[in-house]
Amino acid sequence: MKVTKAVIPAAGLGTRVLPATKAMPKEMLTIVDKPAIQYIVEEAVNSGITDILIITNRGKGIMEDHFDRAPELENRLLESGKQDVYDEIVSISKLANIFFIRQKETKGLGHAVSCARSFVGNEPFAVMYGDDVIIGDDPACGQLIRAYEKYGKAAVGIKAVPEDAIHKYSSLKVDHLEGNLYSCTDMVEKPKTKEEVLSLFSILGRCVLTPDIFDILDHTLPGAGGEIQLTDAMRTLAQTVGITGVDYTGKRYDMGDKLGTLQATVEIALRNPVLGAPFKAYLKEIAATL
Ligand code: UTP
């Protein structure tokens, strides 16, 4: 079955990027000239996704407004002859069919995904973590969709993380299949001891899940941090039917982390067709004084 739906959980509290996220969701933090979540929606669209559900819990208005039409602003742009900006602004509202739902309590990523049940129905769907922006020529979500279509199993985006950081992430038991694809048969969220570490591969940012995840989530008890962890539910899938791990190409930026937001700004600005050259010259000037 074709994957046309994506869920973007964006209801976290963003405590690692306070005070910026006191009143604004971290998914709305700006990278150069767009909020983080727009990069994610664009990746979804470039991956063949047509319907997107954004899970929010506060600051909902600002995200809805961003993907809506803005008549007053649009008229002003037209009146002042700014056709290019007008076209860009209008195109944001036409990217995809975007829906919103509230996660009423911040009970974890697994709980947020379970709020998407009626939107998803009985179809495979992508989950795109709202604070992970991935930039690359081949959209990461699309790479996972291809792996799902090839193996008929849920697919998770994986990356190797440093040994001294694995305790902050999930750790996966994997066997190499071919190229950048792995078979995953077990996983643990935030391993506490060295013995619990299954490998340095962790799930980062994206997955394509089958709808049986919802029944599993219904029976998943709070895990690490007292939250209902998506990893704990995916573990059941990995142990029973297996999951495909995709070491996707593309650079991931963690918008839930202050250093991650700075890296995203610098690197994405350098790729910008207009700002790239003057920004590079500025960086070189600054770097020479460091
Ligand atoms: P994180 O664990 O990074 O989000 O979840 P957080 O809770 O905001 O993190 P802290 O407070 O900085 O440590 C990954 C993704 O899942 C969403 C977040 O918005 C983020 O995009 N999420 C997390 C939810 O939608 N609901 C939740 O209950 C938890």
Side-chain angles (χ1 to χ4, degrees), residues 124-191:
F125 65 105
V127 178
M128 308 176 76
Y129 299 15
D131 55 355
D132 279 325
V133 170
I134 303 175
I135 302 293
D137 296 333
D138 186 10
C141 182
Q143 298 176 47
L144 266 64
I145 292 174
R146 293 202 296 273
Y148 164 76
E149 285 168 350
K150 183 162 186 191
Y151 291 95
K153 294 177 181 179
V156 288
I158 62 173
K159 289 271 174 206
V161 302
E163 197 171 353
D164 59 2
I166 189 73
H167 65 280
K168 291 191 274 182
Y169 297 91
S170 57
S171 170
L172 273 54
K173 185 176 176 206
V174 289
D175 289 302
H176 187 234
L177 284 171
E178 53 170 318
N180 61 346
L181 302 178
Y182 294 78
S183 148
C184 167
T185 49
D186 201 2
M187 60 182 73
V188 57
E189 180 65 27
K190 299 192 175 56

Side-chain angles (χ1 to χ4, degrees), residues 25 56-66 100-102:
T56 62
N57 73 343
R58 82 274 183 252
K60 172 180 165 165
I62 191 174
M63 274 193 265
E64 285 202 27
D65 290 349
H66 187 72
F100 296 85
I101 194 171
R102 280 193 181 209

Side-chain angles (χ1 to χ4, degrees), residues 8-18 21 26-27 55-58 103 105-113 128-132 190 227-229 254 256-257:
I8 305 181
L13 297 178
T15 56
R16 287 168 293 143
V17 266
L18 280 168
T21 47
K26 59 183 163 183
E27 293 78 8
I55 318 260
T56 62
N57 73 343
R58 82 274 183 252
Q103 180 190 18
E105 288 172 90
T106 315
K107 289 196 202 165
L109 180 58
H111 179 257
V113 170
M128 308 176 76
Y129 299 15
D131 55 355
D132 279 325
K190 299 192 175 56
E227 298 194 330
I228 298 175
Q229 297 288 351
D254 183 359
D257 174 78

Side-chain angles (χ1 to χ4, degrees), residues 247-269:
D247 186 0
Y248 56 83
T249 58
K251 179 95 190 266
R252 166 188 167 267
Y253 301 100
D254 183 359
M255 295 302 289
D257 174 78
K258 288 181 186 178
L259 188 59
T261 63
L262 293 173
Q263 289 164 340
T265 299
V266 170
E267 294 185 30
I268 294 173

